[in-house]
Amino acid sequence: MGKTGVGKSSLINKTFGVDDAVNLLPSWFANIDQEIYSEENPHFVLHDSKGFEQGDDTNVKIVDNFINERKNMPHIKDKLHAVWLCLDIPIAGGRLLETGIEEFLKHKIEGKLGNVPVIAVFTKYDLLVARENRLLKRADHPGKSDGEIKTLIEQNVDAKLQEICIEPFERFVKKGVPHITVSTEVGFEDRLSRLIQITYEHVRDYLADASVVSAIAQRTSPRVKIQASIEVGRRKYWERLATSVNFPGKPLRQCIDVIHTDIIATWRFNDPQGYLSSDQFKAMMSNVVVAPGDQSNDPSKNLVAGVSLVAGIAGIVSVLSGPVAPIVIPVAAALVMARWVYVVYQETTFVLRHLMTYIIDLTLILQNIFWLQELGDPDRPLSRRTIKMGVHAYEGSTTKRTLSFKINQHLDGLSFHVGPDTTLNTIEALIQSNIIESKEMLGHRGTFPFSNIVRDDETWEG
């Protein structure tokens, strides 16, 4: 919700990947009861509200009534999961909060709107950055490098933002409403990721089941995708992976089919050919998951110059960005399942090691694929080449070997049916410790030739 021109359409398009939903209604028409759907994103339903005009309290009452009606709906699909209150940053002066907005926020703080998450989103942060960039006189800072000038501008932006926006807002809401400053322009994507993270956490606290759907719907934060896939696994079968009541007597192929499908679903890649669900990709994954040999020391501590996940992605992009650089994979690895998938599920360290490794490897490889797609061409359908690059980057990193060592550590201390099964906690901790933060990865946008990886697709074998 927010007034016309505040940037609602751009924000929704960017975070949820929907161009059609926000363009269904003319800008002058906003009926909050209207459910707006998108063919591009079936997990997404939008309700649009007009802004609160000066001296008009009618829309405040309409919004209040709508929120209270929705929070009392019996079914989760009919409830309102979150509210984004979009606000301008008063760059040119003027009032931060109009009377109607103040009234709405008071109702939220006083509990009149229940526990429905309301998040204040200050839009067009890039305009404030551009303004401070113009105001900075470089002649007043002789001898400073470009990097030092950039840091100085960032400090000025932060100070101005605190003065005109953050401090007055926080004084008014008294920590009763979370807030975030965003921009939909290139170079500010990490702020959108933080918005999604904040939204996910508040929706999870309000309606846990709805938080997974919101995570699937968004397309800007791999961290939230990963958290959602862990939550799905927790609810289904990861909780007792070592002593599962769902898998006994079944070949591991059937077990990993279930695991694979659930993890893939949370990412919502643009994959019209179904490459990520294909037997070829599953076969590739089964060969990535190889039972590790004995390791008495942590590889990450033994290697002088370890290769991180980020470095692995950057390295594969640099190597394979030339004019002729197909990714060749042996036919056996591309088309034939590894032998371990035909073992029948039993309560053994062999089985548990492979299931743990499959979950962790697949999750982190999908993270690689997300970033290769996002920094290459996010609107282009997923290709086999991009998938193979994601796999190669992961296999070439120190992370893979370190994770094998840590999984072995967990299994060495595990006793089946004795004490709590800590397998899920271990899986979650290992995945969480290897999440690539958006700001870190986006910082490589201009450093490595991600655009050069976009080319005609190739076969699974090369």
Side-chain angles (χ1 to χ4, degrees):
M1 55 189 291
K3 66 181 182 181
T4 300
V6 76
K8 293 181 293 182
S9 296
S10 299
L11 182 62
I12 294 300
N13 285 346
K14 193 76 172 181
T15 51
F16 294 100
V18 291
D19 292 317
D20 56 354
V22 294
N23 294 320
L24 289 178
L25 300 176
S27 59
W28 53 264
F29 179 81
N31 178 2
I32 197 170
D33 290 308
Q34 175 78 42
E35 293 185 342
I36 306 173
Y37 296 90
S38 168
E39 293 182 359
E40 297 170 293
N41 190 340
H43 301 284
F44 175 81
V45 180
L46 172 70
H47 292 268
D48 187 20
S49 169
K50 293 185 295 184
F52 302 126
E53 302 299 333
Q54 180 71 29
D56 180 13
D57 64 350
T58 302
N59 197 47
V60 177
K61 294 177 181 177
I62 292 173
V63 172
D64 283 2
N65 290 337
F66 173 77
I67 292 175
N68 282 308
E69 287 174 4
R70 287 283 171 163
K71 71 182 176 65
N72 293 322
M73 292 281 189
H75 301 296
I76 290 179
K77 68 180 182 65
D78 296 321
K79 290 180 179 292
L80 188 65
H81 301 155
V83 176
W84 282 357
L85 175 60
C86 298
L87 303 168
D88 281 319
I89 300 172
I91 298 173
R95 190 171 178 177
L96 176 64
L97 302 175
E98 299 292 347
T99 303
I101 294 172
E102 288 185 347
E103 184 179 352
F104 173 77
L105 290 172
K106 284 180 181 177
H107 292 174
K108 173 58 182 173
I109 296 166
E110 293 167 358
K112 295 179 180 179
L113 303 180
N115 296 322
V116 177
V118 174
I119 299 159
V121 185
F122 294 98
T123 60
K124 303 180 181 179
Y125 174 75
D126 59 289
L127 297 182
L128 178 60
V129 174
R131 177 182 182 274
E132 293 302 316
N133 195 8
R134 290 194 303 271
L135 292 176
L136 183 72
K137 297 180 180 179
R138 294 178 181 257
D140 294 339
H141 305 279
K144 287 189 178 295
S145 66
D146 289 344
E148 291 171 327
I149 291 294
K150 181 180 179 182
T151 299
L152 185 58
I153 292 172
E154 290 173 350
Q155 292 172 347
N156 292 345
V157 169
D158 289 342
K160 191 65 176 178
L161 188 64
Q162 287 290 325
E163 175 192 345
I164 66 175
C165 190
I166 304 304
E167 290 179 358
F169 181 80
E170 290 183 343
R171 280 197 304 269
F172 186 84
V173 300
K174 298 179 176 64
K175 299 184 179 180
V177 176
H179 58 83
I180 181 73
T181 308
V182 304
S183 168
T184 57
E185 296 300 314
V186 173
F188 300 94
E189 293 89 345
D190 62 302
R191 290 182 170 270
L192 295 179
S193 295
R194 284 158 55 193
L195 168 61
I196 291 298
Q197 181 70 42
I198 291 171
T199 304
Y200 173 78
E201 291 170 355
H202 282 80
V203 174
R204 181 189 59 201
D205 294 340
Y206 174 55
L207 290 172
D209 289 340
S211 66
V212 172
V213 178
S214 69
I216 295 172
Q218 63 87 22
R219 56 169 289 180
T220 61
S221 174
R223 170 178 281 279
V224 169
K225 296 284 190 188
I226 290 170
Q227 289 173 327
S229 66
I230 292 172
E231 184 59 31
V232 169
R234 183 190 302 277
R235 296 178 191 179
K236 290 190 173 183
Y237 39 76
W238 296 9
E239 194 71 59
R240 300 291 300 178
L241 198 63
T243 55
S244 175
V245 297
N246 299 308
F247 294 153
K250 298 178 181 178
L252 293 186
R253 170 66 190 272
Q254 292 184 25
C255 304
I256 65 169
D257 277 347
V258 173
I259 291 170
H260 189 101
T261 299
D262 286 341
I263 293 176
I264 292 293
T266 62
W267 288 82
R268 199 178 68 83
F269 280 99
N270 181 10
D271 184 19
Q273 300 299 322
Y275 291 138
L276 292 175
S277 300
S278 68
D279 288 341
Q280 289 90 341
F281 180 56
K282 290 178 183 177
M284 191 181 300
M285 283 302 310
S286 73
N287 284 278
V288 171
V289 180
V290 176
D294 276 338
Q295 293 173 328
S296 57
N297 296 298
D298 187 342
S300 65
K301 295 179 180 178
N302 289 340
L303 295 174
V304 175
V307 180
S308 68
L309 287 178
V310 174
I313 294 174
I316 198 73
V317 168
S318 297
V319 170
L320 297 175
S321 62
V324 182
I327 307 170
V328 179
I329 295 178
V331 174
L335 301 178
V336 180
M337 284 282 185
R339 293 177 61 183
W340 67 267
V341 303
Y342 300 105
V343 173
V344 173
Y345 178 92
Q346 302 173 62
E347 295 174 6
T348 64
T349 55
F350 175 88
V351 167
L352 185 56
R353 175 187 293 116
H354 284 79
L355 292 180
M356 289 179 68
T357 305
Y358 195 96
I359 290 170
I360 295 169
D361 286 357
L362 177 59
T363 300
L364 296 180
I365 284 172
L366 291 177
Q367 177 180 229
N368 283 0
I369 294 171
F370 175 93
W371 283 120
L372 288 167
Q373 188 80 352
E374 179 67 20
L375 296 176
D377 183 356
D379 296 322
R380 179 177 173 137
L382 189 62
S383 68
R384 286 165 293 199
R385 177 179 176 80
T386 301
I387 293 172
K388 292 194 290 181
M389 290 179 76
V391 173
H392 271 256
Y394 180 70
E395 288 187 304
S397 69
T398 307
T399 301
K400 170 64 176 168
R401 283 165 283 171
T402 301
L403 288 171
S404 294
F405 170 79
K406 292 184 180 297
I407 290 171
N408 276 344
Q409 272 190 324
H410 169 77
L411 295 173
D412 289 342
L414 182 67
S415 297
F416 292 88
H417 297 288
V418 178
D421 183 356
T422 58
T423 298
L424 173 60
N425 294 337
T426 300
I427 291 174
E428 183 172 3
L430 293 179
I431 291 174
Q432 294 279 10
S433 65
N434 287 284
I435 292 178
I436 301 172
E437 297 298 345
S438 296
K439 189 170 186 177
E440 178 185 10
M441 196 67 229
L442 290 166
H444 290 276
R445 185 191 295 276
T447 306
F448 297 99
F450 287 100
S451 60
N452 292 345
I453 69 175
V454 179
R455 60 174 69 213
D456 293 338
D457 202 4
E458 57 196 40
T459 65
W460 287 110
E461 298 84 3

